[in-house]
Amino acid sequence: MFKVISSLSGRCAVLKGQSCSRPGSVKFHLANAALYQKSAFRHPPTDIPDMPPCNFKPEEYTGMSKERMMEIRRKNCNPMIMKVTSYKKPVFIHQGHMQWLWDVDGKRYLDLFAGVATVSVGHCHPKVTAAAEQQLKRLWHTTNIYVYPPLHEYCEKLASYLPDPLKVVYLTNSGSEANDLAMLMARLYTGNFDIITFRGSYHGGSPQTMGLTSNAAYKYPIANGLGCTNTMCPDVFRGPWGGSHCRDSPVQTIRECSCAQGYCMANDQYIGQLKETFATSVPSRIAAFFGEPIQGVGGAVQYPKNYLKEAYKLVRERGGVCIADEVQTGFGRTGSHFWGFQGHDVIPDMVTMAKGIGNGFPMGAVVTTPDIAASFAKASHFNTFGGSPVACAVASSVLDTIKEDGTQQNNLHVGTYLMTELAKLRHKYEIIGDVRGKGLQIGVEMVKDKASREPLPPEAMSEIFEDIKDMGVLIGKGGVYGQTFRIQPPMCITKDDVDFFLSVLNKVVHSYMDRK
């Protein structure tokens, strides 16, 4: 199954325009010695699993050097761009096709993070690219002060994917913007102000949505998010309560459970914490409750099966509306349903979405009921680029492509297979504490040991993260402590791709444990 492949020969094959059907290539490097005090040298895996074939031929890169790009990145880009750059040795991306990316040296990567869970149907998907090109030839830009077909065609199509009474659409440019507007609409409609979210959540980085977000890494030391309160996240792996039958996932936690069939003690305890928040931290009437069906940046955290259903009831009893943040879980990613909230058997009052909505094209949306939408008209709001002709054409093609390519079904089958196989690695390695998720929204939580469930230290996470990249796979990281590997790929990956990743992960973790 494993084969040693020359990094140089793999790179030259691509640059000469040959098919990339040969196995992928890998180049290793010495990492920062400060991380490896036990030895002066690090010895990463030397044999590489065969990369699945690909018949796409990328263009040869002839642009500026990597050194020049980094010079500009440091000098002309905001320092935040350097701060968020992944990897000690960054990836210089040149071209993409479906689930594959190529760097400027011609090295191919399996992309399992999709530009932070954003590329839904595949990089440069031919159908979506054709739709964009066709619209670009007709009309690039106008605004919703005029009436133009793509806006109305798309709003009608998107609304058809949501249950009644969620039929009124407002288009934006991003998820932060969509959540910002959802906060505003909730407060206008209810006449209340306070909003509740989960600890560990991420709902955006604008001054308002920063209050919804509950992760110190994304908090600035300024006044933000007035009226936002965080309640305990019902995390059945890391939280104080959890068992072996709590969540809607092919893989359950390793925690023991003595609950009777159909009963979940952990759910009762976490609902009790929400009631405590109502009793101590907010007024008797609130504006809204925000919740991702499965946390994204938080590390694919799942809740007990009936938690959202009971939480929605409590929120509505207190005058609030329930908002499902589908920025990462929407558009069939969870496999069993088109929207993540459907897996919880609830219907929210508002749904926000972005990322996969446009397969990487900037777009977002707030979908709500006619009554809530009417409250937004109490003043005027204008968005220059929201719902542009090109954005609507792209997003409409994404919906068509999901249906035509059987994307949602692929998410269910491939995702379930991936999680089931990851669970085998969890049993094999002490540092893999949890595997969770649905479809292709997956988290692998790393720990010092299973007994303590303490997060694997950042330097160890970075070491494994870097090795996986060096062997040709890109994944993400998340969790409050950065302890969870996030797997949210373009939704066109195959079982062969999964087998390749599993081989890489097994090799990298095994090598790490040997060094340890």
Side-chain angles (χ1 to χ4, degrees):
M1 184 173 187
F2 296 101
K3 183 177 180 181
V4 179
I5 303 160
S6 165
S7 171
L8 181 60
S9 63
R11 179 183 305 163
C12 292
V14 174
L15 292 180
K16 290 178 181 177
Q18 298 177 14
S19 168
C20 60
S21 60
R22 66 185 297 152
S25 58
V26 167
K27 181 171 71 175
F28 294 110
H29 67 282
L30 293 178
N32 188 336
L35 297 181
Y36 310 104
Q37 297 176 3
K38 292 183 180 179
S39 172
F41 295 97
R42 177 175 159 208
H43 301 284
T46 55
D47 51 351
I48 306 162
D50 286 355
M51 184 174 280
C54 167
N55 59 11
F56 179 81
K57 299 178 182 179
E59 300 171 0
E60 180 177 351
Y61 178 74
T62 58
M64 69 172 64
S65 68
K66 291 185 283 188
E67 292 76 15
R68 179 62 178 147
M69 280 190 272
M70 292 307 294
E71 180 183 352
I72 294 170
R73 197 172 182 89
R74 293 187 178 96
K75 180 179 178 181
N76 300 119
C77 296
N78 189 285
M80 182 56 64
I81 303 302
M82 280 301 301
K83 182 174 182 178
V84 302
T85 300
S86 288
Y87 306 112
K88 297 176 181 65
K89 185 177 181 182
V91 180
F92 294 78
I93 299 299
H94 167 51
Q95 192 167 357
H97 176 74
M98 302 305 284
Q99 66 269 48
W100 303 105
L101 290 169
W102 286 263
D103 69 13
V104 297
D105 295 320
K107 177 178 174 179
R108 179 160 60 110
Y109 295 89
L110 175 62
D111 182 10
L112 296 187
F113 200 34
V116 191
T118 300
V119 177
S120 48
V121 295
H123 290 284
C124 303
H125 192 293
K127 296 175 186 176
V128 181
T129 300
E133 290 175 344
Q134 185 178 23
Q135 184 59 48
L136 282 167
K137 294 175 182 177
R138 184 182 301 119
L139 179 66
W140 283 34
H141 175 74
T142 186
T143 74
N144 51 31
I145 65 172
Y146 304 113
V147 181
Y148 50 98
L151 173 69
H152 305 86
E153 291 167 0
Y154 180 66
C155 286
E156 181 182 46
K157 184 183 288 188
L158 179 61
S160 72
Y161 281 79
L162 287 136
D164 288 327
L166 296 166
K167 296 297 177 183
V168 185
V169 179
Y170 191 89
L171 298 176
T172 68
N173 304 292
S174 70
S176 291
E177 189 178 7
N179 284 336
D180 205 301
L181 288 180
M183 295 173 71
L184 175 60
M185 290 187 202
R187 286 166 169 165
L188 289 170
Y189 175 71
T190 63
N192 304 322
F193 193 72
D194 287 74
I195 299 175
I196 294 175
T197 63
F198 289 133
R199 294 175 197 158
S201 63
Y202 182 87
H203 297 286
S206 70
Q208 284 296 314
T209 57
M210 201 187 303
L212 299 177
T213 294
S214 175
N215 187 320
Y218 302 97
K219 294 282 195 181
Y220 286 92
I222 61 170
N224 65 84
L226 183 63
C228 295
T229 298
N230 307 126
T231 193
M232 181 181 286
C233 177
D235 181 347
V236 297
F237 174 72
R238 179 154 299 284
W241 305 286
S244 56
H245 305 286
C246 298
R247 61 195 183 199
D248 178 20
S249 174
V251 179
Q252 299 295 326
T253 74
I254 56 174
R255 301 175 74 170
E256 295 182 358
C257 180
S258 58
C259 294
Q261 183 73 25
Y263 171 71
C264 180
M265 180 274 291
N267 183 68
D268 288 353
Q269 294 290 341
Y270 288 118
I271 286 293
Q273 289 296 308
L274 178 60
K275 290 178 178 178
E276 188 77 6
T277 300
F278 284 132
T280 62
S281 304
V282 294
S284 60
R285 307 289 287 176
I286 66 170
F289 169 81
F290 257 89
E292 302 162 272
I294 301 173
Q295 285 192 342
V297 175
V301 174
Q302 291 183 278
Y303 326 127
K305 294 172 187 176
N306 291 317
Y307 181 92
L308 283 186
K309 184 180 290 188
E310 294 183 37
Y312 275 26
K313 182 176 182 292
L314 293 172
V315 169
R316 286 168 173 156
E317 287 173 355
R318 288 156 178 82
V321 297
C322 300
I323 303 170
D325 181 337
E326 294 276 359
V327 169
Q328 297 195 31
T329 50
F331 300 94
R333 180 163 288 279
T334 62
S336 61
H337 301 87
F338 198 82
W339 304 107
F341 68 77
Q342 293 170 317
H344 294 273
D345 193 24
V346 297
I347 297 179
D349 303 296
M350 277 192 268
V351 181
T352 59
M353 57 195 78
K355 289 189 179 288
I357 191 174
N359 198 45
F361 196 93
M363 194 175 191
V366 182
V367 184
T368 188
T369 68
D371 288 345
I372 295 174
S375 67
F376 195 36
K378 291 179 179 179
S380 294
H381 181 89
F382 177 72
N383 191 312
T384 301
F385 297 107
S388 75
V390 178
C392 289
V394 167
S396 182
S397 179
V398 168
L399 288 177
D400 293 342
T401 300
I402 290 171
K403 182 182 294 185
E404 293 164 7
D405 289 5
T407 301
Q408 184 179 330
Q409 293 74 22
N410 186 67
N411 296 344
L412 177 62
H413 298 312
V414 175
T416 299
Y417 173 71
L418 173 53
M419 278 182 278
T420 302
E421 294 301 308
L422 284 170
K424 296 176 183 178
L425 294 182
R426 179 185 64 179
H427 293 309
K428 182 177 180 180
Y429 295 112
E430 181 67 13
I431 63 171
I432 300 179
D434 196 29
V435 173
R436 55 180 177 258
K438 287 184 66 176
L440 291 175
Q441 175 95 349
I442 299 171
V444 179
E445 183 156 347
M446 308 298 286
V447 295
K448 289 181 177 179
D449 59 81
K450 288 184 171 71
S452 70
R453 303 197 305 276
E454 290 185 24
L456 194 67
E459 59 272 17
M461 288 293 293
S462 295
E463 185 177 333
I464 295 170
F465 190 56
E466 196 89 16
D467 281 352
I468 291 172
K469 178 262 295 182
D470 285 343
M471 295 188 75
V473 181
L474 305 180
I475 59 175
K477 285 193 291 185
V480 172
Y481 308 103
Q483 80 282 14
T484 302
F485 290 128
R486 296 167 61 191
I487 304 166
Q488 297 164 282
M491 301 186 295
C492 55
I493 66 164
T494 67
K495 284 189 175 181
D496 286 344
D497 301 330
V498 165
D499 287 336
F500 170 64
F501 167 62
L502 290 166
S503 297
V504 167
L505 182 63
N506 178 61
K507 190 73 180 173
V508 168
V509 175
H510 183 83
S511 179
Y512 170 81
M513 296 298 288
D514 280 350
R515 294 194 301 270
K516 181 182 176 183

